[in-house]
Amino acid sequence: MTPTKSVTVAELAAQSLAAIRVFEDLGIDYCCGGKRPLEEVCLEKGLDPADVELALQTATPGAAAETDWNTAPLTALIQHIVARHHAFLRSEMPRVADRLSRVQAAHGHRDPVRLDELGEVFGGLRGELLTHLQKEESVLFPAIERFESANSGGDSLPKPCFGSVQFPITVMEQEHEAAGGALVRMRELTDDYAVPEYACSTYRAMLDGLKELEQDLHRHIHLENNILFPRAMMMEASKR
């Protein structure tokens, strides 16, 4: 997809992993805030839209993606999200929490205000995400899978207890936005994950873990907000 004044960041991200890399390098939000025109986002961040478009057009594609999630079955996409991104969060968040606790104990006296807030923000994010994952896996994702099964069989879509799939999707997107805000605050509190001179190996591992969690969560939310949810709503709308 060639960038234009009206194309959104999310549309570009959905079509190209190379575009995602460019957005990550430039600090452009392509998941929670991705539904805005590229030019508008560039101007807001003080970036020259022409320079960003050139970067997108010349970005190295890298290894071909294993699956085109814009056309793959929604059930396959859901399985990918759960197996890769949900599993990653459940595995890594306890590790990051443990490192953060040890850093606070060892170095809390050096910068108590920021480290205390970092612990609070991460703890809140962790609790909210665990609940969020459970809601997706027990309510929203099964409903989308039932939609796709009925659609592929030529049957009418089953009517879920919550009415339209739009309702839980709206809630999930709101929770994604809150998670995105927490990520932004953690990056601010760590000065973009800069390593202090006094940092020990655990401190460095904590920062690496937070940064990895941010990157994975960005791609996780991108797959849901920009691909899974729009496709599910389009499927439902086509059967009305």
Side-chain angles (χ1 to χ4, degrees), residues 13-234:
Q15 296 297 324
S16 169
L17 183 58
I20 287 177
R21 296 192 192 98
V22 171
F23 294 147
E24 289 175 342
D25 290 342
L26 296 175
I28 292 176
D29 180 2
Y30 61 90
C31 54
C32 302
K35 297 178 181 179
R36 298 170 59 198
L38 175 64
E39 183 177 52
E40 177 185 314
V41 173
C42 289
L43 294 176
E44 183 180 279
K45 293 185 67 66
L47 301 170
D48 185 334
D51 289 343
V52 176
E53 289 189 7
L54 180 61
L56 290 169
Q57 292 167 355
T58 58
T60 303
E66 294 181 4
T67 306
D68 179 1
W69 297 120
N70 292 288
T71 58
L74 295 183
T75 297
L77 175 53
I78 288 171
Q79 290 172 346
H80 170 77
I81 289 171
V82 172
R84 177 166 179 171
H85 298 291
H86 285 202
F88 173 84
L89 286 173
R90 289 189 171 110
S91 172
E92 291 303 312
M93 287 194 296
R95 295 190 177 101
V96 174
D98 177 66
R99 294 169 194 157
L100 179 52
S101 177
R102 285 189 281 154
V103 166
Q104 287 175 310
H107 302 288
H109 63 285
R110 297 178 182 271
D111 197 352
V113 175
R114 287 209 291 183
L115 282 176
D116 283 352
E117 185 178 350
L118 181 62
E120 291 173 3
V121 174
F122 176 78
L125 174 65
R126 180 186 178 190
E128 290 169 3
L129 282 176
L130 289 174
T131 301
H132 177 88
L133 302 183
Q134 183 60 35
K135 286 190 288 188
E136 286 187 334
E137 293 173 11
S138 62
V139 179
L140 179 57
F141 288 176
I144 294 175
E145 290 173 332
R146 287 192 293 270
F147 275 12
E148 183 169 61
S149 177
N151 185 60
S152 63
D155 300 324
S156 299
L157 299 188
K159 190 172 181 61
C161 61
F162 43 74
S164 170
V165 73
Q166 174 68 57
F167 298 129
I169 283 177
T170 297
V171 174
M172 295 301 100
E173 289 181 331
Q174 290 171 344
E175 293 180 0
H176 287 166
E177 186 171 351
L183 294 178
V184 169
R185 185 55 184 154
M186 290 193 296
R187 181 172 278 275
E188 291 172 346
L189 289 167
T190 58
D191 295 326
D192 292 333
Y193 302 116
V195 180
E197 292 182 1
Y198 59 82
C200 61
S201 59
T202 300
Y203 204 127
R204 292 173 183 272
M206 178 199 72
L207 292 174
D208 287 343
L210 288 172
K211 190 173 182 179
E212 186 178 11
L213 187 146
E214 177 192 74
Q215 185 178 63
D216 189 83
L217 194 54
H218 279 167
R219 298 194 180 194
H220 173 181
I221 293 174
H222 158 68
L223 287 175
E224 294 183 359
N225 279 14
N226 302 334
I227 300 179
L228 177 63
F229 295 167
R231 288 185 60 195
M233 290 188 292
M234 188 180 302

